[in-house]
Amino acid sequence: MLKLAADNKDFSRLLCYYGDDFTGSTDVLESLYLAGIRTALFLEPPSEALLKEERFSGLDAFGVAGIGRSLSPDEAEAELRPIFEKLKQAGAAIVHYKICSTFDSSPAVGNIGKAAELGRSVFGNHYIPLVVGVPYLGRYTLFGNHFARAGEKMHRLDRHPTMSRHPVTPMKEADLRRHLAEQSDLKISLMDIMALDGAWSEVQESLGRLVEKEQPDVVLFDVLDEERLETTGRLIWEAASGQDSLFVIGSSGIEYALSACWRAAGRLIEGQTDGLLQEHQQDQLQGQRIEQQKEQEKNASVAAVEQLLVVSGSCSPVTEAQIAHALQAGFVGIAVPASELINPQKEEQSRSGMLEEAREHLRKGKSILLYSASGGNDPAIAAFRGALAAHGYDAEDSSRLLGGILGSLARELIKEAGLKRIVIAGGDTSGYVTRELGIYALECVAALAPGAPLCRVASDDPALDGLELALKGGQVGETDFFSSVKQGGGTKHGF
């Protein structure tokens, strides 16, 4: 049982979360794994009976991988409200609605403002902390404006080479307050970088004055460096000393902020969480904690596999470069004709032909890369959009349809070839791909690259139970990412 030092209120878990896409959900898994906090990610809200099973007993936190980023506001109402109600009963100090660190959203799709409104409706009227920056991933918020790294360069979000031209949620505004104001009438205030600087008592007073004066519904926190990220985590943890779970919104910056706070307070010892340590214990164990974390990272390595299946629904420049590198490294690339696979007259022949090609290469010991587009300029993108319209689908149906196609192909190949490790690329489609695989939970086993951990899956299907799965968003990973997942290795940090 964990206790908050502020008021000794008991909570059964530190945190639970809902991820608005699957790759982002594993990003949180990674951050908590690096902190030594045992966490599992479920595809549906877990029952108490499941959480008590030996496989998941002793979890400090858990998440639910969702698809909120691809939903309309009406669909979000139907999806999120019952899940929020379920998470409210989980006995967690903090309930986190996890969003992408590039703030992917719009009034029509992935509306974060709608999620905030639902959160206040379910969890009460306390202001919602909003943290989007993650220095570990190259994401920063400064005076409310958001910046993201692309390759070696930093870009303001509305000038980011990918996010400014995103096919579903293009970012035309870098000021996150303005962007969110287009999605909701909730009042948004900013705890800027200057207010986060200074002595702890001064920072507390700054936040108190801000809340008292502006009476905000949402407070956005600037993020520039690890030191002030820890300060933000301390402010959030202090706010979680109320009578009920604190609802927060943000990227994995939430977990990195809280982990830094817990570590500084002496709550993270020997890979376990403990809220009962006294001050005199914290100082003597500080050095021990640092050495144990280094040892954990040194030992967090995985073996190479002979064959890897990569399934990509991403068209970002980062994934484009990764696909090109993998093909040069000996992967066999097979274009997925998505426009034909939603055509009832062509579906069967197209699918069988593509699967037979993949089987032939797998029998020869090759690694396979199935991709819906080789990059942002691939004509297949326009062809798929045209096919959607021709067959009566909306543009918003693209992720669901493409994810279902890729997932069913991957499941068949995994079972037939007995594959042990796969990669799914593309944040918008990943949730649908993973659901199609027929798994119900994941736990992190290694942090191979920032934001794209390697996970082990739980499934009722023996052919899939224990499968190793890496999920990456379109902006994540070095050029050699696919090859590095095949080769295995240890925990990596930075870019």
Side-chain angles (χ1 to χ4, degrees):
M1 181 69 71
L2 303 167
K3 286 181 180 291
L4 293 179
D7 67 355
N8 286 332
K9 179 172 175 56
D10 293 343
F11 289 97
S12 58
R13 292 178 184 85
L14 284 172
L15 178 145
C16 60
Y17 69 95
Y18 172 94
D20 74 349
D21 81 328
F22 214 102
T23 56
S25 299
T26 60
D27 177 22
V28 173
L29 266 188
E30 176 189 37
S31 64
L32 295 173
Y33 167 82
L34 291 173
I37 298 169
R38 189 178 172 219
T39 309
L41 176 65
F42 298 91
L43 272 70
E44 301 290 343
S47 65
E48 281 301 316
L50 181 58
L51 291 172
K52 290 178 180 178
E53 288 185 7
E54 182 178 356
R55 187 170 194 167
F56 300 113
S57 63
L59 290 177
D60 298 310
F62 72 83
V64 178
I67 52 175
R69 198 165 90 185
S70 63
L71 300 179
S72 70
D74 288 344
E75 291 170 333
E77 172 79 33
E79 164 88 357
L80 297 181
R81 184 177 293 278
I83 289 179
F84 286 175
E85 294 284 2
K86 181 81 171 179
L87 296 182
K88 185 179 181 180
Q89 305 303 317
I94 291 174
V95 175
H96 175 198
Y97 180 73
K98 198 279 178 185
I99 61 173
C100 185
S101 62
T102 46
F103 215 64
D104 302 39
S105 59
S106 74
V109 180
N111 189 314
I112 296 171
K114 178 65 174 181
E117 293 169 359
L118 289 170
R120 282 176 62 82
S121 172
V122 172
F123 291 93
N125 291 327
H126 188 282
Y127 74 83
I128 299 172
L130 172 61
V131 180
V132 188
V134 196
Y136 177 66
L137 300 179
R139 310 288 192 258
Y140 305 91
T141 310
L142 191 59
F143 296 105
N145 286 269
H146 200 56
F147 298 81
R149 190 188 300 274
E152 297 300 319
K153 295 183 179 181
M154 190 65 61
H155 301 269
R156 202 175 71 185
L157 202 57
D158 58 340
R159 297 178 182 176
H160 191 278
T162 301
M163 297 312 304
S164 64
R165 299 180 296 169
H166 192 284
V168 179
T169 54
M171 298 299 292
K172 302 301 182 184
E173 174 59 68
D175 189 324
L176 300 183
R177 294 166 295 177
R178 289 178 175 269
H179 185 78
L180 193 57
E182 294 180 356
Q183 304 173 21
S184 173
D185 292 329
L186 293 178
K187 187 173 184 180
I188 309 157
S189 294
L190 173 67
M191 187 70 173
D192 66 34
I193 202 71
M194 297 179 69
L196 287 166
D197 209 9
W200 170 242
S201 60
E202 295 173 346
V203 175
Q204 286 178 299
E205 291 173 4
S206 294
L207 179 59
R209 287 194 301 269
L210 176 72
V211 172
E212 183 178 1
K213 178 181 178 180
E214 300 188 11
Q215 297 291 305
D217 301 309
V218 178
V219 175
L220 171 66
F221 289 82
D222 271 358
V223 176
L224 180 62
D225 52 33
E226 298 291 348
E227 180 180 356
R228 279 169 283 204
L229 185 63
E230 179 189 320
T231 299
T232 296
R234 191 174 176 185
L235 290 169
I236 294 173
W237 188 239
E238 186 176 75
S241 62
Q243 296 300 307
D244 298 302
S245 300
L246 176 69
F247 181 75
V248 303
I249 295 177
S251 67
S252 59
I254 292 283
E255 281 70 29
Y256 284 109
L258 289 170
S259 296
C261 162
W262 294 330
R263 187 174 295 111
R267 296 180 184 275
L268 302 182
I269 304 297
E270 297 180 352
Q272 299 293 326
T273 52
D274 187 350
L276 303 179
L277 293 175
Q278 303 299 315
E279 289 186 12
H280 71 275
Q281 296 174 294
Q282 296 174 11
D283 291 337
Q284 72 183 68
L285 291 173
Q286 178 71 15
Q288 179 186 352
R289 286 189 283 104
I290 293 173
E291 291 304 315
Q292 287 167 343
Q293 185 178 9
K294 289 180 179 178
E295 189 67 18
Q296 178 196 32
E297 293 180 0
K298 183 179 73 174
N299 293 332
S301 60
V302 291
V305 291
E306 295 183 0
Q307 291 178 288
L308 180 71
L309 173 64
V310 178
V311 179
S312 174
S314 170
C315 58
S316 78
V318 173
T319 305
E320 180 177 7
Q322 291 164 342
I323 290 174
H325 182 279
L327 296 180
Q328 292 177 353
F331 282 67
V332 174
I334 300 177
V336 177
S339 58
E340 295 182 4
L341 292 173
I342 63 170
N343 184 336
Q345 297 179 341
K346 298 181 178 181
E347 176 187 7
E348 184 176 350
Q349 182 178 356
S350 179
R351 178 185 175 87
S352 61
M354 183 179 49
L355 282 172
E356 185 52 43
E357 181 183 359
R359 292 186 187 108
E360 181 64 25
H361 289 297
L362 287 170
R363 285 193 289 266
K364 294 178 180 179
K366 298 290 187 178
S367 292
I368 302 296
L369 200 164
L370 301 179
Y371 59 90
S372 60
S374 59
N377 296 319
D378 192 325
I381 297 174
F384 185 51
R385 289 174 179 166
L388 287 172
H391 294 287
Y393 295 109
D394 296 326
E396 291 78 13
D397 295 321
S398 61
S399 295
R400 175 179 59 82
L401 292 170
L402 182 58
I405 290 168
L406 294 174
S408 64
L409 293 171
R411 181 184 175 98
E412 193 159 340
L413 292 174
I414 291 166
K415 296 185 69 170
E416 288 184 7
L419 298 173
K420 303 301 182 184
R421 185 178 300 166
I422 71 166
V423 176
I424 299 174
D428 292 342
T429 57
S430 60
Y432 296 103
V433 175
T434 313
R435 288 169 188 260
E436 191 70 30
L437 287 179
I439 65 178
Y440 65 85
L442 305 91
E443 287 194 70
C444 184
V445 296
L448 295 180
L454 187 67
C455 302
R456 183 174 294 115
V457 312
S459 173
D460 293 325
D461 187 335
L464 293 167
D465 193 49
L467 176 74
E468 292 179 342
L469 169 64
L471 297 108
K472 67 157 235 88
Q475 311 308 312
V476 173
E478 299 285 357
T479 302
D480 66 347
F481 178 78
F482 298 145
S483 296
S484 70
V485 174
K486 180 176 183 289
Q487 295 162 2
T491 297
K492 298 180 181 180
H493 296 279
F495 288 82

